[in-house]
Structure formats: structure tokens, C-alpha cells
Amino acid sequence: MNTPSHPRLSADDRTEVAVVGAGAAGLEAALVLGRQRRRVLLIDSGDYRNARSTGAHMLLGLDGTPPTEIRDRALADIAGLNTVIYLRSTVTAAHLDTEDGENRTEPAVSLTLSDGRRVTARRLIIATGQRDVTRDADGVPLINGLDRGHGIWTRHCPYCHGWENRDKDILVVPVPGAPVIRTVYQALYLRDRTSDRVRIIVDAAEVPDEFRGALSDAGVNLIDDTVSTMSGDPDAVSVRTTGGRTIRADTIFATPPTTAGSPLGEMLGVQMQGPCILTDARQRSSVPQVFAAGDGAVRRGEPEPMTFVTQAAAQGQLAAIWADQDLFLARPGIPAPSALTETPPTLPTSPRILHGSTE
Ligand SMILES: Cc1cc2nc3c(=O)[nH]c(=O)nc-3n(C[C@H](O)[C@H](O)[C@H](O)COP(=O)(O)OP(=O)(O)OC[C@H]3O[C@@H](n4cnc5c(N)ncnc54)[C@H](O)[C@@H]3O)c2cc1C
């Protein structure tokens, strides 16, 4: 595919919405906003989470398509709009700015790019995802080989990779820093849905009795040991344990802990839940100008985000619609939303007011 050409950023650009991150969430947000003729700045450092995967699954009409292809297609769609500027850069700092010389009634969001440039926008959508952690703070691999294998010959999610590994000989391995019980659940789930040949290699002392019983009842073989090194290719894997064993299988499920994809939420003082920005159902953060979508956003009341491509895109779409609505309703002369609905003003308005009510 030819590299699409996007409009370039110039000093006098007035960005209405900046979208940081061009994974599924940010690309969808930029597409929606660009189509509404919002002036959009899409900034991306190009390190998206499933870059190593050869095929993204559970995607309507695109099941198994390589993520790079999906991203290239989305960028080509966006390049067809003259409203979205796409910038390959990293946002290194962010703050709310009340004094940018534009006589604003509300603070703008000010972003600093890795080349030192500063841009401001009236609304910001943070779509910077999460990162899988395969090394500790000193750069030491959490398990030798995990960083080489992650996304290539180790799997992390039965929904993304279960079908492709059905009926295979599966090893499940806890990664230091991720809860062991979660790994045990994953083994039980894989045994239930994916294969009758599932083994878990884990220090048995870390597994409560009831879970050991459940593993045994389900026919999951618990190997009481700890993996020190793993190696493999997409068709065969092998692990070495601290107990001196070498164990081979068809594939490994090892889910690393995750961290925030960027520090932008914290820089802007939004409410966080673990590595994620806390949002409402419209993807709004606790700071009115800031929306968040994708793996790096979690809905209030949910213990953790649903980290899938379609979910990220859906959230990007919602964030874009509500950021757009927010700007529309902030226009002078537009009546307050409560005047447009027959519902009591305390209830939220819905985008259907723009489609014409069908009731
Ligand atoms: C190996 C693997 C396989 C997967 N397979 C599937 C699958 O089959 N099906 C499925 O539905 N899901 C799958 N997933 C999950 C899926 O990849 C994520 O849910 C999805 O990518 C989330 O999209 P996102 O837009 O939130 O984040 P990302 O895709 O991670 O995009 C975030 C973007 O933000 C950019 N960014 C971060 N910080 C900055 C900054 N400061 N400045 C500028 N840009 C920044 C990054 O470079 C990146 O491009 C898989 C995940 C992994 C790890």
C-alpha cells in the first residue's frame, strides 16, 4: 500500500480535538471527528500493542487480518479527509492552559511534542493504550525469553488466540507481577473451552487448596515448579524450570502484567484506576476537556478494561461523538441540552436528538 499523504501541521493551526495514540481507539476517534469536519490532530509514536501479532481476531469482517494492515487501511481512510493532521511523534508533556492568547472561556489542553513543539487543542482524547511488561525496572526479563516470545509464540488471551490453539498441548505459565490466581483461572478456562491437554507450571504453594482441587477435577495437570527460561516458535515451545525440568508443548499462555501506555492522564491530573484513566459511559475523564478510550481507559464501576480491538474502536467512536457534541453544545447561541429534550434535565441527553427522534 502507498503511504497515504496527510495534511501537515502549521504554526497557525487551531486544533479542535487532539487525539493521542493511533491504535484502534485513536484511529476510530480521528475518523469520526474528521468526518464531522472537526480540525483534528492525531499524534502517534507508532508502538501499538498488538504490533507483533500476525492476525487480529474477533473482528467483524476482518477476522485474522494483520494489525498492520488494519492500521494502514484506517490511516488511508483518514488521509482521504482533509480535516485530520497525522503526526508521527510522541507527546512528552500535557497540561491545561488558561493563557494561550485566544481569549478562551475554558482552559485549552497544551501538549508538548518530542521535538519541543507545543500544540493546543480544545479537547483531548487520550488513546495511548497499555504496555505489556516483560522486563523489570532494571531491564531484566521477568522470564528469560518472554520478551522475545510475547505476541509471537507466547499467547496472552484465550479470546484472541484460543481458536487457533484449539486441541493443542498447552502450557500455562504465570508471569511474575501478574496475579497467580488469574493464571489458574486461565488454565481452567483453556481446559474448558480450548483443549483437553492443558498443564500449568506453578509453585503449588502459591495456589490455594480449593484451586488445586479445581485444577485436578478439571484434568489440568499442575507441575509444581517455576519456569526460568522459555523458547520456541509459533508451532512448538520449550521451557526450562528452576527444578531442572525441560518441558515441551505446542504453545504457551503467559499473560504479562501491564502498565499505562503513557503518563498523560497523570500529567493532566485525571482520576486513574490502576494503569487506566477512569471514564464515564461517554468516555469522559474527571477533567472536562479530557476523554479517554481503548486499553488505557476503564469505565467507572468496572474492575478492569476490556482490552480488545473492537472494544477500543467502539470507545474511540464514543469519545469522538461526545467530544464533538461537547464542542457543538459549547457554541454560543446553542440552547442548553435540557431545552432540546422532553426528558427531565437531570437525565443525560442522547445523540439521537441529532438524528431526529423516532419516538
Ligand atoms: C500480542 C497481542 C495480540 C492481540 N490480539 C488481539 C486479537 O486478536 N483481537 C483483539 O481484539 N485484541 C487483541 N489484542 C488486544 C489489542 O491489541 C488491544 O486491545 C488494542 O490494540 C487496543 O487499542 P488501543 O488503541 O487502545 O491501544 P494501542 O493499539 O496500543 O495503541 C496505542 C497507541 O498510542 C501510542 N502512544 C502511546 N503513548 C504515546 C504518546 N505519549 N504520544 C504519542 N503516541 C503515544 C502508541 O505508540 C500506540 O500506537 C492483542 C494484544 C496483544 C498484546
Side-chain angles (χ1 to χ4, degrees):
M1 180 178 286
N2 292 332
T3 309
S5 110
H6 299 265
R8 289 176 182 279
L9 182 67
S10 67
D12 55 356
D13 272 314
R14 289 282 167 259
T15 300
E16 292 182 286
V17 186
V19 179
V20 185
L27 287 166
E28 174 69 18
L31 179 66
V32 172
L33 288 161
R35 284 174 46 82
Q36 295 315 108
R37 306 170 79 185
R38 291 288 176 200
R39 293 188 305 277
V40 179
L41 176 60
L42 173 63
I43 309 163
D44 185 53
S45 52
D47 184 18
Y48 53 111
R49 189 162 172 221
N50 57 353
R52 286 172 155 206
S53 165
T54 53
H57 296 286
M58 299 187 293
L59 270 63
L60 196 64
L62 292 171
D63 199 44
T65 307
T68 44
E69 187 182 326
I70 296 169
R71 191 174 145 101
D72 286 349
R73 284 196 202 182
L75 281 170
D77 288 344
I78 288 168
L81 310 169
N82 61 1
T83 42
V84 181
I85 294 170
Y86 169 62
L87 208 57
R88 190 65 177 263
S89 183
T90 302
V91 176
T92 55
H95 68 276
L96 289 180
D97 187 353
T98 42
E99 296 176 13
D100 71 345
E102 273 205 64
N103 224 357
R104 295 187 187 280
T105 53
E106 56 182 16
V109 181
S110 171
L111 304 175
T112 307
L113 307 181
S114 42
D115 62 6
R117 271 186 293 179
R118 276 193 40 197
V119 291
T120 57
R122 293 182 62 196
R123 298 289 180 275
L124 169 67
I125 298 177
I126 301 178
T128 50
Q130 290 195 40
R131 283 174 203 281
D132 295 302
V133 178
T134 54
R135 292 172 176 263
D136 69 14
D138 299 320
V140 179
L142 296 178
I143 300 174
N144 284 323
L146 175 63
D147 49 349
R148 283 194 302 279
H150 180 60
I152 300 173
W153 44 262
T154 70
R155 317 292 168 191
H156 76 294
C157 165
Y159 288 94
C160 303
H161 316 292
W163 176 259
E164 287 64 38
N165 290 286
R166 65 192 182 280
D167 300 327
K168 289 195 177 171
D169 182 8
I170 296 173
L171 288 180
V172 182
V173 173
V175 178
V180 167
I181 290 302
R182 177 174 293 226
T183 314
V184 172
Y185 271 117
Q186 189 175 78
L188 288 167
Y189 183 82
L190 287 162
R191 175 65 185 81
D192 190 60
R193 295 286 83 217
T194 308
S195 175
D196 56 9
R197 290 183 293 157
V198 178
R199 290 173 285 172
I200 181 169
I201 307 176
V202 62
D203 177 355
E206 291 188 38
V207 182
D209 284 349
E210 63 182 301
F211 285 92
R212 265 187 273 173
L215 287 167
S216 166
D217 291 349
V220 176
N221 184 0
L222 186 156
I223 301 169
D224 182 11
D225 211 333
T226 305
V227 173
S228 56
T229 303
M230 46 177 69
S231 58
D233 60 45
D235 297 319
V237 294
S238 165
V239 302
R240 294 270 305 156
T241 68
T242 51
R245 296 175 166 99
T246 299
I247 302 168
R248 295 178 214 289
D250 295 330
T251 194
I252 297 175
F253 274 74
T255 306
T258 57
T259 185
S262 79
L264 298 182
E266 278 168 358
M267 286 172 171
L268 287 157
V270 305
Q271 229 181 316
M272 305 287 293
Q273 178 175 300
C276 296
I277 295 172
L278 205 55
T279 75
D280 65 9
R282 298 177 183 181
Q283 306 304 135
R284 278 185 308 204
S285 78
S286 57
V287 171
Q289 290 83 352
V290 180
F291 295 70
D295 282 7
V298 66
R299 289 268 169 81
R300 198 173 293 280
E302 295 292 338
E304 56 187 45
M306 294 295 278
T307 54
F308 299 112
V309 172
T310 303
Q311 299 291 330
Q315 288 181 16
Q317 189 179 74
L318 280 177
I321 288 170
W322 288 113
D324 173 61
Q325 286 285 302
D326 213 18
L327 290 172
F328 166 66
L329 293 170
R331 267 184 85 90
I334 301 291
S338 56
L340 297 177
T341 61
E342 290 168 14
T343 50
T346 46
L347 288 183
T349 56
S350 118
R352 89 188 137 81
I353 60 174
L354 298 181
H355 298 155
S357 173
T358 52
E359 287 164 24

